Amino acid sequence: MAAVAEERRDSPEEVARKVRELAEMVRSAGHLVIFTGAGISTAAGMPDFRGPEGVWKLEAQKRKCATETTEAVRAVPTKVHMALVELQNRGVLKHLVSQNCDGRHRRSGIRPENISELNGNENLETCTNCHKEYLRDFCCPKKNPICVHLHRTGRRCELCGGDLHDSVINIGENLPRDKFDQAMAHARQSDLLLVLGSSLAVSPACDIPKSTSGKLVIVSLQPTPLDSQAVLRIFADCNTVMSKVMNANGWSIPRFIVHRRVKVSRTGCRWAMAGFDAQDMPCSFIRQMQITYNKAKFHLDEEPFEFDVAREDLDRVTSFQLVLRSRGHYDEPAIAWDHNVMLTPCGGTTAYNLTYDPEEKRWYSTQVPLTAVAW
């Protein structure tokens, strides 16, 4: 079992001084790379590994966590997650390397080309044949009683029919070579590498930060093996530090907004609805759909969401009422809108861009009026 480290904290005065220094480094960086660990998620109710209520310590003491924890797929991204999204959107953050497999970086808005998820993503599965990726609003890995190294999820690729495998790297498995090489290349190019919430105790991931050709800064509550190599060492909560850094540079931290896309397609008499993320990757966020036209009503409870319009009705149907029920991780209500049939000719596709505000608990679309409905 991994060693459990004791936490320490800099004084408020020390934190303020160090944050000013870090803010200047971030502002002037030409190639900023950020390396994240479990410590960035504790503010969202997720346990870390080596802290006072960390997984390893709880196992060693054979006790349960004293504080309430949150299921990973329901946890709202923290201020750190959203600060990194803002840095990405400003062009300040050139690459993000993460040891976390909770999928929160991708969910918060980090684009797939800008991140190396070293330990995989529990919401991502990949076709072993054509390598197409699918995002899910649920945990993909199955608990296999025979062997944890069997990654087949039981689902099939929509393109080629190949087996889908989860992407999580279990203990004893090698890191994905392409992700590791990508992370190392950016680390060597970086003039500032900022570590947030990592113990830097797991090899070979810990080799990445020390490969920087520039300055190394470490922010965490526990000592790390690379502390002596850091030009700046901050013992403080990552949320606090990144909030102060953003404020010092006059950059706001955006609120977390869920971005989704629904595509309605038609092939002959058959209609289909499918969910996607903002980057147009297939995303299984839809739990159920209901379609109503004239006197016909369809309740669809699983993917693919497909239904057939009777041939004699094709010329008489002008619109469908679509009712969508998502998986509800952020208490999303079911929503309804009308789809104009003329927008989707045979062989065509209509895409609806949807956003959901977890604070307001409301869906938005600039394309059609949405109505919250009871399911």
Side-chain angles (χ1 to χ4, degrees):
M1 180 174 295
V4 178
E6 295 300 321
E7 293 185 351
R8 56 168 288 193
R9 292 178 182 271
D10 289 335
S11 68
E13 294 76 20
E14 285 180 297
V15 172
R17 175 180 59 80
K18 292 177 179 179
V19 161
R20 288 193 297 270
E21 192 175 344
L22 176 57
E24 171 58 30
M25 291 183 192
V26 170
R27 185 167 59 250
S28 60
H31 197 95
L32 170 64
V33 173
I34 295 180
F35 185 99
T36 64
I40 70 166
S41 294
T42 53
M46 299 292 297
D48 60 10
F49 289 92
R50 294 172 174 81
E53 293 293 310
V55 173
W56 305 138
K57 190 161 189 175
L58 294 178
E59 287 187 4
Q61 297 178 351
K62 297 181 179 180
R63 64 180 178 89
K64 294 183 178 179
C65 186
T67 57
E68 185 176 353
T69 59
T70 304
E71 185 183 1
V73 77
R74 295 181 62 87
V76 174
T78 65
K79 289 182 179 179
V80 175
H81 290 93
M82 299 314 300
L84 302 191
V85 172
E86 180 66 13
L87 292 178
Q88 167 197 255
N89 294 344
R90 286 179 171 272
V92 176
L93 174 62
K94 302 307 181 186
H95 199 70
L96 175 61
V97 183
S98 183
Q99 294 174 286
N100 302 332
C101 63
D102 58 18
R104 197 106 28 91
H105 282 306
R106 292 282 295 273
R107 205 174 309 138
S108 66
I110 295 294
R111 294 187 289 273
E113 66 270 20
N114 291 341
I115 184 171
S116 298
E117 293 178 298
L118 299 179
N119 291 317
N121 182 330
E122 66 179 27
N123 305 130
L124 181 70
E125 53 187 354
T126 305
C127 176
T128 56
N129 184 46
C130 71
H131 307 295
K132 184 174 179 61
E133 295 183 330
Y134 296 83
L135 274 177
R136 309 299 189 189
D137 251 8
F138 51 81
C139 185
C140 296
K142 290 185 174 182
K143 291 184 178 180
N144 194 310
I146 300 175
C147 180
V148 296
H149 302 304
L150 298 178
H151 290 272
R152 190 166 65 180
T153 64
R155 288 175 286 274
R156 295 268 183 182
C157 178
E158 297 172 1
L159 289 184
C160 70
D163 287 332
L164 296 182
H165 282 206
D166 73 71
S167 61
V168 173
I169 305 301
N170 295 310
I171 294 175
E173 295 178 334
N174 294 327
L175 300 185
R177 174 52 61 181
D178 58 336
K179 301 298 183 184
F180 183 78
D181 289 346
Q182 182 184 45
M184 286 293 285
H186 277 281
R188 291 178 179 132
Q189 190 179 350
S190 65
D191 55 358
L192 175 61
L193 197 147
L194 173 59
V195 176
L196 296 173
S198 174
S199 66
L200 300 177
V202 180
S203 178
C206 63
D207 294 334
I208 295 170
K210 61 187 178 184
S211 299
T212 179
S213 57
K215 299 174 182 177
L216 174 64
V217 177
I218 301 174
V219 180
S220 71
L221 292 170
Q222 300 149 14
T224 81
L226 298 187
D227 284 356
S228 62
Q229 299 181 35
V231 299
L232 183 63
R233 184 61 174 92
I234 307 178
F235 289 96
D237 172 76
C238 294
N239 252 12
T240 299
V241 171
M242 287 307 297
S243 295
K244 291 180 180 295
V245 166
M246 298 296 284
N247 184 62
N249 284 326
W251 301 331
S252 60
I253 298 178
R255 287 166 57 187
F256 170 56
I257 300 294
V258 179
H259 296 272
R260 295 289 184 255
R261 184 170 293 157
V262 176
K263 291 186 179 181
V264 180
S265 58
R266 176 189 173 192
T267 306
C269 297
R270 172 150 294 191
W271 292 76
M273 282 72 60
F276 294 79
D277 74 349
Q279 282 76 44
D280 224 28
M281 180 181 291
C283 180
S284 298
F285 74 95
I286 305 172
R287 181 182 293 275
Q288 294 169 305
M289 290 206 71
Q290 177 180 290
I291 297 90
T292 305
Y293 70 89
N294 296 347
K295 295 183 179 180
K297 181 177 287 189
F298 297 88
H299 291 275
L300 308 176
D301 294 326
E302 60 183 21
E303 295 177 309
F305 299 102
E306 298 177 337
F307 69 98
D308 292 319
V309 175
R311 192 170 297 277
E312 60 270 19
D313 289 338
L314 278 176
D315 294 332
R316 292 182 292 175
V317 176
T318 59
S319 66
F320 304 136
Q321 185 194 55
L322 304 179
V323 180
L324 180 152
R325 182 188 180 198
S326 66
R327 296 188 178 273
H329 298 312
Y330 304 114
D331 300 321
E332 307 97 299
I335 50 172
W337 72 94
D338 291 329
H339 172 69
N340 185 340
V341 170
M342 298 298 292
L343 295 175
T344 315
C346 187
T349 299
T350 302
Y352 292 98
N353 295 318
L354 309 176
T355 58
Y356 175 72
D357 188 325
E359 290 189 15
E360 297 181 359
K361 300 190 184 306
R362 182 177 176 182
W363 285 99
Y364 293 90
S365 173
T366 59
Q367 298 163 275
V368 289
L370 302 177
T371 304
V373 296
W375 188 273

